[in-house]
Amino acid sequence: MGVVDKLLSRRNRFPTFVNRLIDSIAERPTSVLGRLAARRWGAPSTDDTTPVSAVREDAHARVLIAPVNYSGQASLWARALEHVQPDLAVATMAIEVPGGFAFPTDLEVSTTIYHNGARWQRAQRDAVSSFTHVLFEAEEPIFGRLFDRDVAREAHYLAEHGVDTAFMAHGTDVRLPSGHQDRTVWSPYRDPDLYLDRLERLASLNRKILEESGRPLFVSTPDLLADLPSARWCPVVVDPAAWKTVAKRSDGPLRVLHAPTSALMKGTHLIEPMLHSLHEKGVIEYRPVRGVPAAAMPELLSGSDVVLDQFRLGSYGVAACEAMAAGRLVVGHVTAEVRNVVESATRMKLPIVEATPDSLESVLETVAQDPTIFTAAQSAGPDFVSAVHDGRLSSQVLLDNWIRRSSGSESEDS
C-alpha cells in the first residue's frame, strides 16, 4: 500500500481534532497555520532562474494546459492538438512531484518555487496573461499562492486580461463519495476505514466553482459525467504505436498482470488473495507490479496474457488503454452506465471484459481453459484505442467545445 493509500485508510483512526486541524490547514492556505505549513517546501534561492511558460507568439491560438499533467495527459493532449490543428501552439506546465513518476512536460516547476517563489509566481502570471486559452487541470491553481490558491480568482484575473479559460476534472477533485457509493457496490467510498469528510468537501467545493464559472468543462474519464453532467468527456490519450506488442498466448499457465497506481482505489486487496490461490494451483502465473516506471511497462505487457485493471471505481483509464493498445485481454469492473456513455460517444463497445471481485475467479478460470472465448474482445482493443484514445477525438472535443468557439480558427484538420 502506498503512502497516499495508507493516509486515506488511517485518517479515521485519528482523533477528531487532529483531522479538523489537518483539513483546516489544507482548506485555509492563507491562515497562520496554512502559511506555516507552506514553509515545509522551503524558501527559493535568491538567484533562482526558473523559467515561465512560453509558446510561439505567431500562433493563431496559444494554449496552456496546467498544472498537474497526471499520467502525462496534458502533454499528450497538447501534442495531439498541435497535430490536428497546426496553427495552434500548446504549452504544458506541471508541478514537480517528489518521488513520483516523471512525465514529459514543457515546464516543470519545483514545489518550492511553485508554493513560495513569489518572483516566479508573478512572472508566470504575466507570461500566461499573453496566452489566448488556459485549461486548468483538477481545479489546481497555476500561480501557486499568488492568488491565495484560489482558482476562481486566477480564472477571473485571466479573463480580465482576455484569456479564455476552461476546466478539466480528473477524478477525486469532483467525484462525490456519497454519490459514488450508490453507483457501484464495490465503491471504495463504502470502506468504513476511509476518511471521507475532506474528499466530500473538496469535491463539493470544486463542483460549485465549476458550475459557477460559466466556462467550458471537461472530464478525462467517462464516469465523471455522473458528477459533472454539464461537462464533455475528453478521452485520455495513449500512443498506440508505443504500446503495440505481439499478442501471443504462452504454453504455460495464464500470465496475469496487475499494476495498480493506487491499490486501495483499484481494489487490489479484494482480488489478490484469490490471485495468489490460482497461482499456487497452477491456473495462472500472477505478476503483481508496483512502482515500475512507465517506460518499462510495454515489455511487461508483452509478457502477459491478461491485464487486470480496476475493480472499484466502475470505470477505466490510462492503464487499461495501454493494455488494450498492446493487444492484451483487459478485465475490470466497468458499470453499465459508463459503458453506455462510451458507446453513445464513440459508437463502439468498450472491449474490457466485465468482472467484479466476486466473479473474477470464474472469468480467469474460463480464459485459462479456453482463451478463444474472449478473442473478439482482445482483438478489438487496439482498434478501439486507435479510434478513441489516440488524441484525435480528444482534440476535436477541446476544439469544438472551447478553442474554436472563441478563437475563430477555421483551419482544416490534418
Side-chain angles (χ1 to χ4, degrees):
M1 185 179 290
V3 174
V4 175
D5 287 348
K6 288 179 181 178
L7 182 60
L8 287 174
S9 63
R10 293 178 180 176
R11 284 279 308 266
N12 269 348
R13 304 176 192 176
F14 296 171
T16 300
F17 80 91
V18 173
N19 278 323
R20 287 179 177 172
L21 179 61
I22 294 172
D23 292 345
S24 175
I25 293 172
E27 295 169 8
R28 298 174 178 83
T30 60
S31 66
V32 173
L33 289 176
R35 293 182 184 278
L36 287 173
R39 292 184 180 180
R40 72 189 185 277
W41 302 115
S45 169
T46 56
D47 61 351
D48 177 76
T49 56
T50 300
V52 295
S53 294
V55 75
R56 73 177 200 270
E57 297 182 358
D58 63 340
H60 182 84
R62 301 175 299 283
V63 184
L64 175 68
I65 306 176
V68 296
N69 196 35
Y70 291 147
S71 298
Q73 286 305 298
S75 295
L76 290 165
W77 284 321
R79 303 295 81 83
L81 279 166
E82 290 178 331
H83 178 74
V84 168
Q85 188 157 324
D87 66 348
L88 289 181
V90 188
T92 61
M93 165 249 166
I95 310 161
E96 175 193 24
V97 180
F101 296 132
F103 293 98
T105 183
D106 295 323
L107 173 63
E108 184 176 69
V109 182
S110 73
T111 51
T112 298
I113 294 298
Y114 173 76
H115 288 286
N116 297 325
R119 184 204 64 79
W120 176 84
Q121 292 166 357
R122 291 191 295 270
Q124 175 74 346
R125 174 201 61 193
D126 295 342
V128 174
S129 297
S130 68
F131 282 66
T132 60
H133 296 76
V134 169
L135 180 62
F136 285 88
E137 294 184 279
E139 299 78 64
E140 289 290 336
I142 293 175
F143 311 121
R145 299 168 63 81
L146 184 62
F147 289 85
D148 298 332
R149 294 190 54 80
D150 189 328
V151 173
R153 284 181 59 196
E154 288 192 356
H156 180 71
Y157 177 89
L158 291 174
E160 288 186 328
H161 287 75
V163 182
D164 193 334
T165 59
F167 294 88
M168 176 72 73
H170 279 290
T172 54
D173 52 317
V174 296
R175 186 184 294 117
L176 216 59
S178 58
H180 193 269
Q181 293 174 13
D182 298 329
R183 293 198 283 276
T184 171
V185 298
W186 301 106
S187 172
Y189 306 113
R190 288 172 175 253
D191 286 7
D193 290 336
L194 195 64
Y195 181 72
L196 300 181
D197 288 359
R198 168 66 177 159
L199 295 176
E200 187 84 11
R201 286 200 302 274
L202 177 65
S204 297
L205 174 62
N206 284 337
R207 286 162 54 140
K208 184 174 186 291
I209 290 172
L210 296 179
E211 290 164 359
E212 292 179 352
S213 72
R215 306 308 307 144
L217 309 179
F218 303 95
V219 294
S220 58
T221 56
D223 58 300
L224 294 177
L225 291 175
D227 292 284
L228 208 59
S230 59
R232 301 274 184 169
W233 175 38
C234 177
V236 296
V237 176
V238 301
D239 178 3
W243 295 94
K244 185 176 182 180
T245 62
V246 178
K248 184 178 181 180
R249 173 76 165 88
S250 65
D251 295 329
L254 190 71
R255 300 169 299 178
V256 177
L257 179 74
H258 181 50
T261 50
S262 171
L264 176 69
M265 299 302 283
K266 291 207 171 186
T268 302
H269 63 293
L270 300 177
I271 62 174
E272 204 155 47
M274 175 272 295
L275 296 174
H276 286 305
S277 176
L278 289 183
H279 179 92
E280 292 171 0
K281 294 176 182 177
V283 177
I284 67 172
E285 179 186 331
Y286 175 47
R287 301 178 176 185
V289 175
R290 304 287 191 276
V292 173
M297 283 305 297
E299 183 177 353
L300 289 171
L301 289 174
S302 69
S304 306
D305 303 311
V306 176
V307 175
L308 304 181
D309 189 37
Q310 56 181 308
F311 294 86
R312 308 204 76 183
L313 291 176
S315 190
Y316 75 105
V318 174
C321 292
E322 293 168 347
M324 285 189 285
R328 268 47 207 168
L329 180 65
V330 182
V331 181
H333 171 46
V334 182
T335 66
E337 291 77 11
V338 170
R339 291 180 184 273
N340 289 338
V341 167
V342 173
E343 187 170 358
S344 175
T346 68
R347 298 183 181 179
M348 300 180 74
K349 291 185 180 295
L350 177 65
I352 294 178
V353 174
E354 176 61 27
T356 67
D358 280 348
S359 64
L360 179 59
E361 182 174 11
S362 175
V363 169
L364 290 177
E365 289 177 336
T366 300
V367 178
Q369 293 168 6
D370 185 2
T372 63
I373 291 178
F374 294 112
T375 298
Q378 181 175 350
S379 61
D383 290 340
F384 177 83
V385 172
S386 293
V388 179
H389 294 284
D390 73 345
R392 289 174 296 170
L393 177 58
S394 310
S395 297
Q396 289 303 323
V397 170
L398 293 172
L399 288 167
D400 294 345
N401 297 285
W402 175 41
I403 298 173
R404 283 179 181 156
R405 206 171 72 178
S406 61
S407 67
S409 176
E410 302 295 335
S411 295
E412 295 295 326
D413 298 340
S414 61

